[in-house]
Amino acid sequence: MTHIGTPHPRHDALDKVTGAAAYPADLMRPEMLRLKTVFARRAHARIVSLDTSAALAVPGVVAVLTAADVPHNRYGLIERDQPVFCDDTVRYFGDRVALVVAEDDAAAARGAALVRVTYEDLRPVTSARAALAPDAPRVHADRHNVLLHQELRRGDVRAALASADVVVSGTFTTSWQEHAYLQPDAAIAYVDDAGRLVVETAGQWLHEDRRQLAEILALPEEQVVVRYAKIGGAFGGREDLSVQPLAALAAWKLQRPVAIRWSREESIIGHHKRHPFTIDATWGAYADGTIAAVEATMLADGGAYASTSVEVLKGAMTFACGPYEIANVSVDGIVCYTNNVPSGAFRGFGSPQAHFAAESMIARVAEALHLDPLEVRRKNMYREGSINASGGVMPRGVSAVPVLDRCIAEAAFRIPRAVNAGQGAERAANAGEGSERVGVGFASGIKNVGYSFGFPEQATASVSLTVLDGVRGANVRIGAADVGQGVHLILRQIVAETLGVPLESVSLVTDDTLNAPNAGSASASRLTLMAGRAVKDAAELALANLATTGDGSATVTYRPPRTTPFDENGQCEPHYCYGYVAQAVEVAVDEATGCVRILKVVSVNDVGRAINRQQVEGQIEGCIAQAIGYTLCEDFRVADGRILTPNFSTYLLPTALDVPLEIYPVIMETPDPNGPFGARGMAEMPLIPFAAAVAAAIHDATGVWLSDLPFRPERVRAALAARDAARVAIVR
């Protein structure tokens, strides 16, 4: 019997489809006090006065909490720069100024409407470019608007560009993206019989949530317990705290059970988004297709608070060259505070923005050289022993070229017109029905797995064997969040395989800081490798202990190879593991309307080892659906710091009708030397190259290059109109 590669069904699937699974909002009980958040709904303003008297007079209102009620009114994943409630200045539309606590939702809503705040509006910083202006207002009075300006230098870019046979430049922009997880933010909180504050919610890192909550309330960490209910998606959107401090503060202050549930609008304005980037890139190449140099400037909008902006920027910089070994590289990365919604973690963590530019640029370089873009990619790709832009040696298991080759082969079978894609010729194959034109585009991608740049990376697991005439099973404790990605099943399969026992004999405790050791965050595609390796090592040690001492239990902390931080030139060992992906996308472009339809997608992903093939295929398909939204229709609009798309009637997500019937998830397996049974995480990888592949497909169909995400119909039409005008000018 083997559990590795076996498509065991999810143990929680039936409860989820029948509604029996309990998400945070399902934990709310009638006797719990209800909480209503008062948002600033201003981009930048000074608080002149705050009057809660009318709210407190509402029948059923128990309290109105403000900044004065918070013991330590600053928090953050990395920098503690975000207030639970603003005390003197509001810095973005979703800042919180008060919390109404009432006996029921209706009283809480009435009270919130009566909290009177007088503001003196201040000039907002509306973009990262504006944040750099010498006369720009300070988002935070005590510091500059530039969160980080990092340089990455390798080789001699000036000389290499001067010697290149072609030099191509382009500017690329990306926008915010809303995580749009199915379950909006919710939590309950209470004080248990032992006097501990208990917060039950959804998140991505139990122990980090506990650390921040304890710090906010000036409590010892052991006096705070965080538990996760079922989690309805995250995608990085639950890395930062949202409702948790509000519930924790109210329960601790009033010593009564409380519950909070944000509406979809409150969730959209109240939590962070994907970073908008502007990337100016110049690539030089020799006639044979060798990339001589890459010069780029990456400017990112970090929004009002730091969140993970610094790390996202550094991650993006390491992928400014895509999956290519280039000897001469100069990248300037800048991320700024603005008065926009905070930007933070989102599936891909800077790599999708970087690859949109890099993969578009290598295709444009190939066009300028009249070479096959696939051959130019293959010629420059990372191989075993390659040196990356930060001067580090690529970890073993580099499979960029085999992944691309497999994608080409699969596309030739699945998408016949892909054989001639990207050659730049007007072909009869491009004809569709009426004004539709059909094209195919390719793109490759690379993304780190796990924490980077010297951040402490580890995962701890405990295993206790169930023994009766031999090993019958195991009880496993590990604080690893399952945000819908299926990691709990993966961990059970790894332990069952290690011990040689049935899957159903492996039990997990994962969702309670009291009983589950710290495995780190459900982010950076890391839990299959990190938590999986920890439970595997703990299971093996428990077996060894049973044989030698009779005690069939063990606790293991797994630490991967170390990474190092950037030096002043951006040189370091940035990442300890990478995943590789290549995609072919067929699109239909309606030249009359500018609408783009995705027809077929081939996505080839090297996952090291597929622990559960069905789950891997599901991750690929789901990730592509999210990538379609990012590329074509998800358009988060902000004007002068005011959020214009605070609901799903204005922020348009892809539906089942936008996802093609033909998605071909292809799994390759080059075992990772550190992963359990060779596995590594892959959930972010299919999003990385998708936008660039669609851009190449649109170019193949129409001859135009698009540089601004998302590819809204009006942007496509504008590019086509410019193409037609240029043709007319040439004829004249």
Side-chain angles (χ1 to χ4, degrees):
M1 178 198 305
T2 179
H3 298 285
I4 304 303
T6 302
H8 285 296
R10 293 276 292 270
H11 61 283
D12 57 356
L14 184 61
D15 284 350
K16 286 183 173 180
V17 299
T18 61
Y23 293 85
D26 298 317
L27 305 179
M28 300 171 68
R29 297 291 178 263
E31 68 274 11
M32 294 176 173
L33 296 173
R34 297 303 201 264
L35 311 180
K36 184 67 174 178
T37 311
V38 180
F39 292 99
R41 297 183 184 271
R42 275 173 166 73
H44 198 197
R46 186 173 66 86
I47 298 174
V48 177
S49 65
L50 194 159
D51 184 359
T52 64
S53 58
L56 286 167
V58 172
V61 170
V62 174
V64 180
L65 303 178
T66 66
D69 296 294
V70 187
H72 183 75
N73 194 28
R74 289 292 184 274
Y75 70 94
L77 268 172
I78 300 172
E79 294 198 38
R80 295 159 179 81
D81 66 347
Q82 184 164 2
V84 178
F85 301 114
C86 295
D87 46 8
D88 55 2
T89 306
V90 299
R91 298 178 179 86
Y92 91 102
F93 192 76
D95 257 335
R96 303 173 295 248
V97 294
L99 182 72
V100 176
V101 186
E103 298 290 353
D104 55 50
D105 288 321
R110 285 194 298 270
L114 292 173
V115 173
R116 302 299 181 214
V117 188
T118 302
Y119 295 102
E120 177 191 342
D121 285 325
L122 304 172
R123 183 160 63 99
V125 179
T126 58
S127 69
R129 189 74 66 191
L132 297 175
D135 64 342
R138 293 284 181 96
V139 177
H140 293 263
D142 59 344
R143 62 183 300 177
H144 196 275
N145 287 337
V146 175
L147 256 168
L148 176 69
H149 180 178
Q150 174 68 52
E151 297 179 349
L152 190 158
R153 302 287 187 262
R154 180 169 183 242
D156 188 338
V157 168
R158 293 287 93 201
L161 288 175
S163 67
D165 294 302
V166 298
V167 176
V168 179
S169 296
T171 296
F172 303 86
T173 67
T174 71
S175 188
W176 295 275
Q177 186 181 19
E178 156 66 23
H179 298 82
Y181 32 68
L182 287 175
Q183 169 230 324
D185 311 74
I188 67 169
Y190 54 91
V191 178
D192 69 9
D193 293 340
R196 294 173 300 216
L197 172 66
V198 180
V199 179
E200 299 189 28
T201 186
Q204 294 182 234
W205 189 351
L206 283 160
H207 296 79
E208 175 60 22
D209 289 0
R210 181 183 68 175
R211 180 195 68 78
Q212 291 188 67
L213 293 175
E215 190 171 89
I216 288 167
L217 297 174
L219 294 173
E221 281 193 37
E222 58 269 20
Q223 202 168 345
V224 178
V225 178
V226 176
R227 297 189 179 119
Y228 286 168
K230 290 295 181 186
I231 303 170
F235 314 116
R238 301 190 198 275
E239 281 199 30
D240 290 343
L241 297 179
S242 58
V243 296
Q244 299 94 325
L246 309 182
L249 175 67
W252 188 249
K253 189 88 174 175
L254 301 174
Q255 294 290 295
R256 289 183 61 181
V258 303
I260 184 170
R261 174 178 53 206
W262 273 355
S263 67
R264 181 60 69 178
E265 180 184 1
E266 289 173 320
S267 178
I268 287 177
I269 70 172
H271 79 260
H272 68 266
K273 306 290 177 275
R274 186 188 295 282
H275 285 79
F277 269 69
T278 298
I279 301 175
D280 297 307
T282 297
W283 288 44
Y286 300 119
D288 67 351
T290 301
I291 304 299
V294 167
E295 185 174 49
T297 299
M298 295 180 156
L299 178 60
D301 187 332
Y305 301 108
S307 182
T308 53
S309 285
V310 165
E311 301 307 312
V312 169
L313 178 70
K314 292 190 297 187
M317 292 177 68
T318 63
F319 301 118
C321 301
Y324 306 107
E325 183 173 16
I326 299 170
N328 304 286
V329 180
S330 175
V331 181
D332 279 85
I334 305 168
V335 61
C336 295
Y337 281 124
T338 70
N339 291 117
N340 292 318
V341 61
S343 300
F346 200 132
R347 195 178 205 163
F349 209 75
S351 190
Q353 298 96 316
H355 276 80
F356 173 49
E359 284 297 290
S360 295
M361 285 301 296
I362 200 165
R364 297 183 192 190
V365 165
E367 182 179 52
L369 290 169
H370 304 289
L371 296 176
D372 182 344
L374 297 175
E375 288 305 317
V376 174
R377 284 186 171 89
R378 183 185 289 110
K379 184 179 189 66
N380 292 280
M381 272 182 165
Y382 286 135
R383 290 164 168 80
E384 290 290 354
S386 286
I387 307 298
N388 59 43
S390 293
V393 179
M394 294 297 292
R396 285 190 298 126
V398 179
S399 60
V401 173
V403 166
L404 175 62
D405 288 342
R406 180 71 179 274
C407 185
I408 294 169
E410 292 284 342
F413 176 66
R414 303 290 187 183
I415 313 174
R417 75 177 71 246
V419 173
N420 296 313
Q423 301 306 305
E426 293 288 340
R427 294 177 285 107
N430 279 345
E433 294 185 9
S435 60
E436 274 200 339
R437 298 292 179 264
V438 179
V440 179
F442 287 83
S444 294
I446 182 175
K447 167 70 172 64
N448 61 292
V449 172
Y451 304 149
S452 305
F453 307 112
F455 187 87
E457 173 67 297
Q458 62 183 53
T460 301
S462 295
V463 172
S464 297
L465 303 180
T466 305
V467 180
L468 180 65
D469 298 327
V471 176
R472 297 295 181 87
N475 300 314
V476 181
R477 293 185 295 115
I478 182 167
D482 194 322
V483 296
Q485 81 277 35
V487 70
H488 290 171
L489 176 57
I490 294 300
L491 296 179
R492 292 174 66 224
Q493 287 186 234
I494 289 170
V495 173
E497 181 73 11
T498 303
L499 299 177
V501 300
L503 183 68
E504 56 271 16
S505 71
V506 178
S507 65
L508 285 178
V509 175
T510 59
D511 56 2
D512 188 336
T513 55
L514 270 180
N515 299 305
N518 190 353
S521 178
S523 62
S525 301
R526 60 182 291 280
L527 281 183
T528 292
L529 193 157
M530 291 297 303
R533 177 63 183 270
V535 298
K536 183 176 186 292
D537 290 357
E540 291 174 343
L541 183 57
L543 281 176
N545 289 344
L546 180 66
T548 57
T549 68
D551 178 10
S553 63
T555 297
V556 167
T557 297
Y558 173 68
R559 295 178 177 86
R562 66 189 287 271
T563 59
T564 58
F566 275 148
D567 66 15
E568 65 276 9
N569 293 314
Q571 298 300 287
C572 64
E573 292 285 352
H575 312 298
Y576 64 84
C577 178
Y578 295 86
Y580 300 90
V581 58
Q583 289 174 339
V585 179
E586 184 180 48
V587 307
V589 183
D590 188 327
E591 293 202 341
T593 65
C595 289
V596 178
R597 290 189 299 123
I598 308 298
L599 303 179
K600 298 178 183 179
V601 180
V602 172
S603 186
V604 179
N605 301 262
D606 188 344
V607 305
R609 184 82 181 275
I611 303 297
N612 187 310
R613 295 187 70 84
Q614 185 179 60
Q615 287 200 167
V616 172
E617 291 173 353
Q619 284 282 15
I620 294 170
E621 292 164 354
C623 195
I624 286 170
Q626 196 168 54
I628 289 171
Y630 183 53
T631 302
L632 296 182
C633 63
E634 293 186 40
D635 192 18
F636 193 85
R637 296 287 185 94
V638 177
D640 294 327
R642 184 176 182 83
I643 294 173
L644 304 180
T645 51
N647 46 58
F648 288 161
S649 63
T650 51
Y651 181 81
L652 302 183
L653 294 166
T655 70
L657 297 179
D658 298 300
V659 178
L661 295 175
E662 296 184 67
I663 296 178
Y664 301 101
V666 180
I667 299 170
M668 288 182 62
E669 297 177 297
T670 305
D672 187 273
N674 300 304
F677 302 103
R680 60 174 173 268
M682 52 68 59
E684 298 170 276
M685 310 307 165
L687 202 149
I688 306 303
F690 187 82
V694 173
I698 293 171
H699 177 72
D700 186 50
T702 67
V704 303
W705 285 111
L706 296 176
S707 303
D708 303 298
L709 288 175
F711 301 150
R712 302 193 310 261
E714 60 267 34
R715 283 177 170 166
V716 178
R717 279 292 305 130
L720 294 171
R723 176 203 65 185
D724 294 342
R727 288 175 176 174
V728 169
I730 291 172
V731 170
R732 287 177 178 170

